[in-house]
Amino acid sequence: MNQVTFSHKPLIQLNSAPLLAIPAARRLLPTSPAMTVLTDFSQVAPQSVDADTPIDEAHHKMRYSGVRLLFVMDHQAHCVGIITSKEMIGTRRINLAMQQRNLSREDITAEMIMTPWHKLSAMPVAQLASLTIEDLVMSMEAFTEQHLLITEQNDHHELRIRGIISASDIQSAVDKEINPVPRAKSFAEICQVITGHDL
């Protein structure tokens, strides 16, 4: 029986301060497939909190994770809603929850200020796969939210959230040098940017 012998090579010593490899900047066009701006949860883990998580803890997780949206989960691993940085930074929903329940801020949970699942809009991934970025934005002209959920059926034919698309991610990916137009905060706003500036 032949045995394979491995030649162990010594590790190298750095003789100067090295650079870091970084991903090439994505420069997409309006004609690029809409799938290219999908944050795909089969490749990137979504950020979530339990429904009973205190809002300050949820806000800390949002900031630590560098995201602007958290999925709110029940104990059966179902997504019962979402909270965005808008709700966390703003005070309207928090104050309303405090007044309605006669609670202090420390007692307000993610579930109390979230947008519940039945008020969320989504697009099937098969529909997204047939669109360009421009098609997607134009079809979302009246959509005033910043995030669009993308859904699919799993192997058991249950609906699940496959990923998410952010209006700001689209604007960054298309890399429009538009001044002094502000950053788009919703799909409706980015549609105005696109239709008004010769993409």
Side-chain angles (χ1 to χ4, degrees):
M1 181 174 170
N2 292 332
Q3 288 188 336
V4 178
T5 56
F6 293 97
S7 173
H8 295 285
K9 296 186 178 179
L11 301 178
I12 66 165
Q13 292 297 126
L14 300 179
N15 52 22
S16 64
L19 300 172
L20 282 178
I22 58 173
R26 256 194 331 174
R27 177 65 172 94
L28 301 177
L29 299 172
T31 52
S32 299
M35 288 290 287
T36 56
V37 290
L38 172 68
T39 298
D40 189 341
F41 294 155
S42 68
Q43 301 176 26
V44 179
Q47 296 294 322
S48 64
V49 290
D50 292 335
D52 57 1
T53 302
I55 56 171
D56 287 337
E57 185 180 326
H59 190 206
H60 177 75
K61 179 167 186 175
M62 189 177 285
R63 292 179 63 185
Y64 179 79
S65 304
V67 297
R68 295 188 292 275
L69 179 147
L70 292 172
F71 294 95
V72 182
M73 311 299 290
D74 68 12
H75 295 300
Q76 286 76 46
H78 289 112
C79 176
V80 293
I82 62 169
I83 51 175
T84 69
S85 55
K86 183 169 63 175
E87 284 90 50
M88 301 303 298
I89 295 169
T91 57
R92 187 180 67 82
R93 284 199 192 182
I94 295 172
N95 288 340
L96 191 61
M98 290 168 60
Q99 291 167 6
Q100 289 176 338
R101 294 169 172 82
N102 195 26
L103 295 173
S104 65
R105 180 185 170 91
E106 294 76 29
D107 297 319
I108 301 301
T109 64
E111 186 174 26
M112 296 175 189
I113 67 165
M114 71 181 184
T115 301
W117 66 267
H118 55 85
K119 292 187 177 180
L120 299 175
S121 298
M123 177 182 288
V125 69
Q127 180 182 345
L128 181 71
S130 69
L131 302 176
T132 65
I133 292 175
E134 188 169 24
D135 292 336
L136 171 65
V137 173
M138 295 306 181
S139 69
M140 305 297 293
E141 184 175 5
F143 190 58
T144 57
E145 299 301 319
Q146 185 179 358
H147 299 92
L148 173 65
L149 303 180
I150 305 300
T151 60
E152 68 177 2
Q153 302 284 330
N154 69 8
D155 294 338
H156 302 290
H157 305 290
E158 299 167 316
L159 187 69
R160 70 179 178 187
I161 299 171
R162 166 68 181 271
I164 194 167
I165 295 178
S166 162
S168 59
D169 284 349
I170 292 177
Q171 192 170 4
S172 296
V174 177
D175 196 27
K176 286 295 289 180
E177 297 295 332
I178 303 171
N179 290 302
V181 177
R183 299 292 292 173
K185 295 185 178 66
S186 70
F187 281 86
E189 285 187 20
I190 197 171
C191 186
Q192 292 172 359
V193 171
I194 284 179
T195 54
H197 293 88
D198 296 331
L199 270 191

